[in-house]
Amino acid sequence: GESVGLHLPTLSVQEGDNSIINCAYSNSASDYFIWYKQESGKGPQFIIDIRSNMDKRQGQRVTVLLNKTVKHLSLQIAATQPGDSAVYFCAENRNAGNMLTFGGGTRLMVKP
Amino acid sequence: NAGVTQTPKFQVLKTGQSMTLQCAQDMNHEYMSWYRQDPGMGLRLIHYSVGAGITDQGEVPNGYNVSRSTTEDFPLRLLSAAPSQTSVYFCASSYSFPSWGVAFFGQGTRLTVV
């Protein structure tokens, strides 16, 4: 079993639906943001990143939206699959500094 | 390629004991770092290194030491284990500093201090 993520907010979606995971960041000076996926028993895995001079970036089945006015970041996953079930973390970095600040994470559960 | 290898995967320590968590990477990455992950939380940076012979403190360095004598290895030492250090520890490496987007994480070491 896993000891992390016991009190995480959970998003439950039906297979094939779109998922939206939200993240509020704290530092208005943050200029680089990353979404990570963490499966049970594994380390975080990079999904997609975005810099503060952009408000949208798309990858394969994923889109990140950045709203600097309200300091909000979201990850959209299209056509969610069972393999997308994991904990998702957003992270922020300020001025190419040496520390990433991670959010608390959201557990995504995909129902078949 | 093995990527980032952490050993051990699991460890139980008694309060006051010391131990070293091992981290090795075979990708010739300059940047390596150690994080801890507590239940319901994201990762917090303990220490990091931008190259052999260079280390620096992260967000939560107290109670931990690191060294970087080679590019490949970045061990994390717990000097006198405390129950508050019960956590899952991740080592990460990347091509350059700070290439967060291409950071490779190890599988983690689950540490329990009793």
Side-chain angles (χ1 to χ4, degrees), chain B residues 67-87:
Chain B
S67 59
R68 185 91 181 275
S69 57
T70 66
T71 299
E72 294 77 21
D73 300 298
F74 190 45
L76 177 72
R77 280 183 289 277
L78 280 71
L79 307 174
S80 178
S84 61
Q85 294 179 304
T86 294
S87 189

Side-chain angles (χ1 to χ4, degrees), chain A residues 30-47:
Chain A
S30 293
D31 56 5
Y32 180 52
F33 305 87
I34 308 172
W35 279 101
Y36 288 98
K37 172 185 181 183
Q38 186 175 26
E39 295 174 283
S40 180
K42 297 184 178 180
Q45 179 183 7
F46 170 81
I47 303 174

Side-chain angles (χ1 to χ4, degrees), chain A residues 1-8 32 34 36 38 41-46 49 89 93 96-104, chain B residues 31 35 37-45 48 56-59 88 90 97-98 100-103 105-108 110:
Chain A
E2 57 183 14
S3 63
V4 296
L6 292 177
H7 306 292
L8 291 173
Y32 180 52
I34 308 172
Y36 288 98
Q38 186 175 26
K42 297 184 178 180
Q45 179 183 7
F46 170 81
D49 58 1
F89 292 98
N93 179 245
N98 54 34
M99 282 192 271
L100 275 182
T101 301
F102 281 79
Chain B
Y31 184 81
Y35 294 84
Q37 186 175 32
D38 300 307
M41 298 180 67
L43 282 73
R44 291 184 292 169
L45 183 66
Y48 67 97
D56 207 344
Q57 296 181 347
E59 183 184 355
V88 180
F90 289 99
F97 172 78
W100 300 108
V102 293
F105 284 83
Q107 297 281 7
R110 189 179 301 275

Side-chain angles (χ1 to χ4, degrees), chain B residues 7-10 15 21 24 30 32 41 56 69 73 76 81 89 93 98 101 109 111:
Chain B
T7 55
K9 287 186 168 54
F10 301 93
T15 298
L21 308 185
E30 290 296 321
M32 296 185 74
M41 298 180 67
D56 207 344
S69 57
D73 300 298
L76 177 72
Y89 291 84
S93 73
T109 296
L111 175 69

